[in-house]
Amino acid sequence: MDSNQIVKFLSSVTRNNNRAWFQEHKADYLAAKAEFEGGVSQAIERIISFDAEIANVTVKDTTYRFYRDTRFSPDKSPYKNHFGAYINAKGKKALRGGYYIHIEPDHCLLAVGGNWLPTNILTSCRNELMANEQEWLRCVQSEEFLHFYDAPDDADWHSPQGFGFTKLKTCPSGFPRDYAHVKYLRLKDYCAWHKVADSFFAESDWLDQMEQMFRAAKPMMDFMNAVIDDYE
């Protein structure tokens, strides 16, 4: 995937986010879009090799509109400044975790897991990790997981890597505050991410590197998906 071409286009959009400019450069958009979708197709094929659940997922199932919904946003810029693909066996709007590819100038990343879980499902996930503590710790304290996703507790979307985009400041209500692994109870999502260079997806071995990162977090995702799937 020629991510350099994609990043160049997205950088231009960031500087010229208006309809007149976009119409003049529609061919550049279509070329960047096609390049991204070709890379997503390659990624899906690679992920299938270790996660058969997504065998029927197509590129169209994973990508998003480039046009922003500005109805409820103070930012009226008509176009996004990134391309994203969420590879999930149950679709982009599913609660269960999946694999995410994000290309944005100076903020490219790969992510694994689920986000925006309702409180009742979060409670079930927290109960499950306490009930099966050792299995959970094998998932999130493995050498591979820590290599790609270990980070300070205050890590967020802009951090180089991390686990849990949003966290409670204290232990959730109804759970023991003195629990040895309370930091996992404070998570409001189970998403692990790792930032990569803008040129990452243009490297000859990017699929191999992606597979390493996704495999490292898959046990964590599978653990939580076993709970989340009961609600879908």
Side-chain angles (χ1 to χ4, degrees):
M1 173 165 46
D2 188 354
S3 57
N4 296 320
Q5 175 189 359
I6 297 170
V7 169
K8 181 180 179 181
F9 168 73
L10 292 172
S11 297
S12 296
V13 172
T14 302
R15 295 191 302 270
N16 304 277
N17 204 322
N18 63 79
R19 290 180 174 82
W21 181 92
F22 187 82
Q23 289 303 315
E24 291 178 5
H25 295 82
K26 188 71 172 288
D28 295 334
Y29 161 68
L30 293 175
K33 178 175 179 286
E35 192 66 34
F36 179 69
E37 290 178 350
V40 173
S41 178
Q42 291 179 296
I44 291 172
E45 290 182 17
R46 178 59 68 91
I47 296 169
I48 290 172
S49 70
F50 60 88
D51 189 345
E53 286 190 320
I54 64 143
N56 296 318
V57 173
T58 68
V59 172
K60 186 177 180 180
D61 296 328
T62 71
T63 53
Y64 299 87
R65 284 171 49 85
F66 193 63
Y67 306 88
R68 296 182 62 249
D69 182 353
T70 62
R71 290 174 299 172
F72 308 107
S73 173
D75 178 5
K76 300 303 180 182
S77 302
Y79 308 106
K80 297 176 180 177
N81 65 345
H82 66 272
F83 284 137
Y86 188 40
I87 302 167
N88 189 310
K90 294 191 176 182
K92 290 176 292 190
K93 296 183 179 181
L95 293 173
R96 75 181 335 250
Y99 307 92
Y100 182 62
I101 296 172
H102 184 90
I103 297 185
E104 178 183 346
D106 298 320
H107 194 69
C108 296
L109 60 79
L110 295 168
V112 185
N115 205 5
W116 305 112
L117 292 175
T119 301
N120 62 321
I121 301 180
L122 272 174
T123 298
S124 293
C125 289
R126 289 162 177 158
N127 284 326
E128 185 70 16
L129 76 84
M130 289 188 66
N132 295 280
E133 178 183 291
Q134 292 307 309
E135 181 184 351
W136 172 251
L137 294 179
R138 282 194 293 270
C139 296
V140 297
Q141 293 188 0
S142 69
E143 181 179 351
E144 295 83 4
F145 187 91
L146 294 177
H147 174 69
F148 291 116
Y149 307 112
D150 191 29
D153 286 347
D154 61 353
D156 60 20
W157 172 256
H158 298 288
S159 303
Q161 62 187 53
F163 179 39
F165 283 126
T166 54
K167 308 173 182 72
L168 296 172
K169 293 183 178 180
T170 60
C171 181
S173 176
F175 289 87
R177 293 177 177 270
D178 60 350
Y179 180 56
H181 306 289
V182 69
K183 70 176 183 178
Y184 298 119
L185 300 180
R186 292 174 49 236
L187 298 179
K188 296 182 70 176
D189 63 78
Y190 301 97
C191 188
W193 75 93
H194 187 97
K195 286 183 68 175
V196 296
D198 286 359
S199 59
F200 172 85
F201 297 99
E203 297 174 13
S204 60
D205 66 341
W206 77 270
L207 288 168
D208 297 329
Q209 295 186 65
M210 178 202 74
E211 180 176 345
Q212 282 187 302
M213 294 183 209
F214 283 174
R215 279 183 178 269
K218 186 176 182 296
M220 175 278 297
M221 182 176 70
D222 289 345
F223 184 102
M224 287 310 180
N225 279 347
V227 179
I228 297 167
D229 284 347
D230 288 340
Y231 293 84
E232 291 194 306

